């Protein structure tokens, strides 16, 4: 006997239109091998339209939008993909979009999410995200937090890592200047 009223065995988020998968694979070839960014963009737009939950298409389309300078559209696509998957790379991409758009509080929030979900296999991404986080903290004049983040990152990563791209002598000077101002009775006008 078949129960046709219960459709709980169907997971609609996992159903992918085969045309979406074909378009996505063609777009990957166009983008990675033939350097046809606009062709890949059009195919991925169609693939996402056919299957809005096809994360592979969403992520590649978001990456292409980011490359083309459509930061707001890339951010919306990354946030759409966040409904289906939770990955450090995705959180880092969202943080990067917010950073470029100047929304530093949201960028810091997503940097922290990215760092939280990272494992040992994400060390190169870890150094990039922490560098972005430190730069945001410096731009917000939160020098002590930036320095603490640097020290924590330095303890986690090898001394030969890429985290040394930031001018930490300047950061130390800023912290010392803030401490001197705090302990003196002078005010900056």
């Amino acid at each position: 006997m078949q129960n046709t009223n219960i459709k709980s065995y169907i997971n609609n988020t996992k159903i992918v239109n085969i045309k979406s998968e074909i378009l996505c694979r063609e777009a990957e070839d166009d983008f990675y091998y033939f350097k046809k960014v606009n062709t890949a963009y059009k195919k991925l737009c169609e693939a996402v339209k056919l299957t809005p939950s096809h994360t592979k298409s969403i992520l590649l389309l978001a990456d292409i939008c980011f490359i083309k300078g459509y930061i707001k559209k890339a951010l919306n696509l990354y946030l759409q993909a966040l409904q289906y998957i939770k990955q450090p790379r995705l959180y880092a991409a969202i943080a990067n979009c917010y950073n470029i758009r100047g929304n530093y509080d949201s960028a810091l929030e997503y940097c922290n999410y990215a760092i939280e979900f990272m494992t040992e296999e994400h060390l190169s991404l870890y150094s990039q995200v922490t560098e972005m986080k430190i730069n945001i903290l410096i731009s917000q004049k939160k020098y002590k937090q930036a320095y603490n983040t640097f020290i924590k990152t330095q303890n986690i990563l090898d001394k030969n890592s890429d985290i040394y791209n930031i001018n930490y002598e300047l950061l130390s000077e800023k912290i010392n200047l803030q401490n001197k101002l705090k302990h003196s009775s002078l005010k900056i006008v």
Side-chain angles (χ1 to χ4, degrees):
M1 186 160 124
Q2 185 177 16
N3 189 349
T4 58
N5 292 333
I6 299 175
K7 295 185 180 183
S8 63
Y9 61 91
I10 297 176
N11 185 349
N12 288 331
T13 61
K14 302 242 183 208
I15 298 174
V16 177
N17 185 329
I18 191 69
K19 182 83 170 153
S20 292
E21 184 65 29
I22 292 169
L23 287 168
C24 182
R25 289 180 185 204
E26 288 176 359
E28 285 175 334
D29 289 343
D30 289 339
F31 180 67
Y32 293 119
Y33 301 114
F34 304 121
K35 309 297 183 210
K36 296 181 180 179
V37 177
N38 292 328
T39 306
Y41 176 80
K42 290 175 186 173
K43 287 179 181 177
L44 289 167
C45 285
E46 181 64 26
V48 171
K49 186 194 268 186
L50 290 171
T51 310
S53 63
H54 193 233
T55 55
K56 191 164 64 167
S57 295
I58 295 169
L59 290 175
L60 185 56
L61 179 58
D63 290 343
I64 290 173
C65 287
F66 187 85
I67 289 168
K68 290 178 68 111
Y70 307 149
I71 306 301
K72 185 175 182 178
K73 185 170 184 171
L75 176 60
N76 290 333
L77 287 165
Y78 288 132
L79 290 171
Q80 179 182 345
L82 196 58
Q83 297 173 11
Y84 307 108
I85 58 172
K86 310 281 190 241
Q87 295 176 347
R89 178 200 172 277
L90 181 57
Y91 286 116
I94 293 170
N96 196 22
C97 288
Y98 277 128
N99 184 30
I100 288 172
R101 292 184 52 91
N103 188 341
Y104 299 121
D105 292 332
S106 295
L108 276 176
E109 179 183 347
Y110 280 94
C111 280
N112 290 332
Y113 288 148
I115 291 169
E116 181 182 322
F117 284 102
M118 286 188 193
T119 61
E120 289 180 12
E121 65 187 40
H122 300 110
L123 280 182
S124 64
L125 181 63
Y126 179 79
S127 67
Q128 293 171 6
V129 172
T130 53
E131 185 174 350
M132 180 179 14
K133 181 178 178 178
I134 291 167
N135 285 328
I136 291 169
L137 290 169
I138 290 171
S139 70
Q140 291 182 329
K141 299 182 181 181
K142 297 178 181 176
Y143 303 116
K144 281 192 177 184
Q145 279 184 282
Y147 185 75
N148 290 338
T149 302
F150 169 69
I151 295 301
K152 183 179 176 184
T153 302
Q154 190 177 24
N155 291 335
I156 292 173
L157 296 176
D158 185 29
K159 300 256 186 225
N160 300 324
S161 96
D162 297 346
I163 195 68
Y164 297 101
N165 292 336
I166 301 170
N167 187 350
Y168 289 100
E169 291 173 10
L170 177 67
L171 180 58
S172 294
E173 288 176 22
K174 295 282 189 180
I175 291 171
N176 290 334
L177 182 63
Q178 275 187 342
N179 288 335
K180 286 178 185 177
L181 285 172
K182 185 190 287 185
H183 296 296
S184 71
S185 59
L186 298 175
K187 294 183 180 180
I188 298 176
V189 180

